[in-house]
Amino acid sequence: MSSRVRERRGSLYPFASIDPARTAHVVVDLQNGFMAPGAVAEIATAREIVSNVNRISAALRAAGGLVAYIQNTFDDEAVAGWPVFFDHFCSPQRRAAMIEAFTPGNWQHALYPELEVLPADLVVRKRRFGAFIQGSSDLHAQLQARGIDTVIVTGTASNVCCESTARDAMMLNYKVFFVADGNATHTDDEQDATLTAMANIFADVSDTAAVVALIGRAAAAMPQAAE
């Protein structure tokens, strides 16, 4: 895979630098319903990435960037607007359980408590898998209003909501970083398939240490850092 990526674009890592002030860390669906033991859509490995997610958020905030927490939301608007999913990709029992869990006000809809969420962070509800697709959320409008041109994607599930969000972001002309150890899903095979697809054409696939270092170098180069 790496040889094909190099042939396509000349480098495994397409973005040599980052502008923190124009960057958003988009944290996808790290909610109790996906994170808590025994939750309706538990992905146990997602609990292992929380420290990496918090580390990226802290570094980006300190450098003047934005953190946006995305909440999977299955309210009346989502159910009415997306019948193909709810009527054909969920059993009746699963449909009822998922709608109950991800309706605002349910504890499973809430962000996972070990995330470091600050008052200045955005919290955005989405009603499709990807945060950027029409009918899902107003994330794109909020980022554009703030001059954001780069997104760092972390969260769960890597191969569903995170991948959908990253693909659409790139096609909306955002520079996308997809964090290998900041995204989680059910199996290694699913994780590897997503990382391959992302690296092949959609994103800069880096790990937490590399992303934090890139932010740090950008912050050190800021004029105020030299004063």
Side-chain angles (χ1 to χ4, degrees):
M1 188 271 291
S2 61
S3 60
R4 189 164 72 249
V5 172
R6 289 182 187 278
E7 181 181 348
R8 281 176 179 265
R9 61 193 187 204
S11 171
L12 287 178
Y13 306 104
F15 308 124
S17 62
I18 195 170
D19 180 352
R22 302 195 69 188
T23 300
H25 180 199
V26 177
V27 183
V28 180
D29 294 358
L30 294 188
Q31 299 160 259
N32 290 327
F34 293 105
M35 305 284 285
V40 64
E42 180 187 0
I43 299 174
T45 54
R47 294 191 287 272
E48 301 171 9
I49 67 171
V50 173
S51 61
N52 289 337
V53 171
N54 286 338
R55 184 180 171 196
I56 292 168
S57 293
L60 189 60
R61 286 194 204 97
L66 177 70
V67 179
Y69 292 95
I70 311 303
Q71 286 181 293
N72 183 66
T73 300
F74 289 161
D75 56 10
D76 290 343
E77 181 180 341
V79 175
W82 198 16
V84 167
F85 172 68
F86 288 102
D87 293 348
H88 299 282
F89 289 88
C90 299
S91 68
Q93 296 79 12
R94 179 72 172 177
R95 169 188 164 119
M98 291 292 283
I99 291 171
E100 179 183 2
F102 292 107
T103 293
N106 190 298
W107 76 273
Q108 294 193 76
H109 182 262
L111 295 172
Y112 191 58
E114 292 184 22
L115 292 170
E116 295 170 357
V117 184
L118 300 188
D121 299 337
L122 291 182
V123 178
V124 178
R125 294 176 180 175
K126 70 172 177 64
R127 296 174 173 86
R128 301 289 192 277
F129 292 150
F132 289 102
I133 193 171
Q134 183 178 0
S136 180
S137 80
D138 65 351
L139 179 64
H140 180 52
Q142 294 212 50
L143 297 188
Q144 290 297 288
R146 291 166 171 80
I148 300 297
D149 68 4
T150 301
V151 295
I152 301 166
V153 177
T154 61
T156 200
S158 307
N159 56 321
V160 185
C161 295
C162 300
E163 182 170 340
S164 297
T165 295
R167 285 172 179 260
D168 288 342
M170 182 269 195
M171 289 186 283
L172 285 169
N173 210 39
Y174 291 94
K175 300 172 186 175
V176 180
F177 290 84
F178 198 89
V179 185
D181 57 356
N183 285 273
T185 190
H186 294 280
T187 68
D188 289 344
D189 286 345
E190 290 169 296
Q191 180 81 351
D192 291 346
T194 286
L195 295 180
T196 298
M198 290 292 101
N200 205 12
I201 202 164
F202 291 102
D204 185 319
V205 176
S206 300
D207 62 16
T208 298
V211 170
V212 169
L214 197 63
I215 295 168
R217 288 196 295 273
M222 292 177 183
Q224 61 269 29
E227 294 175 357

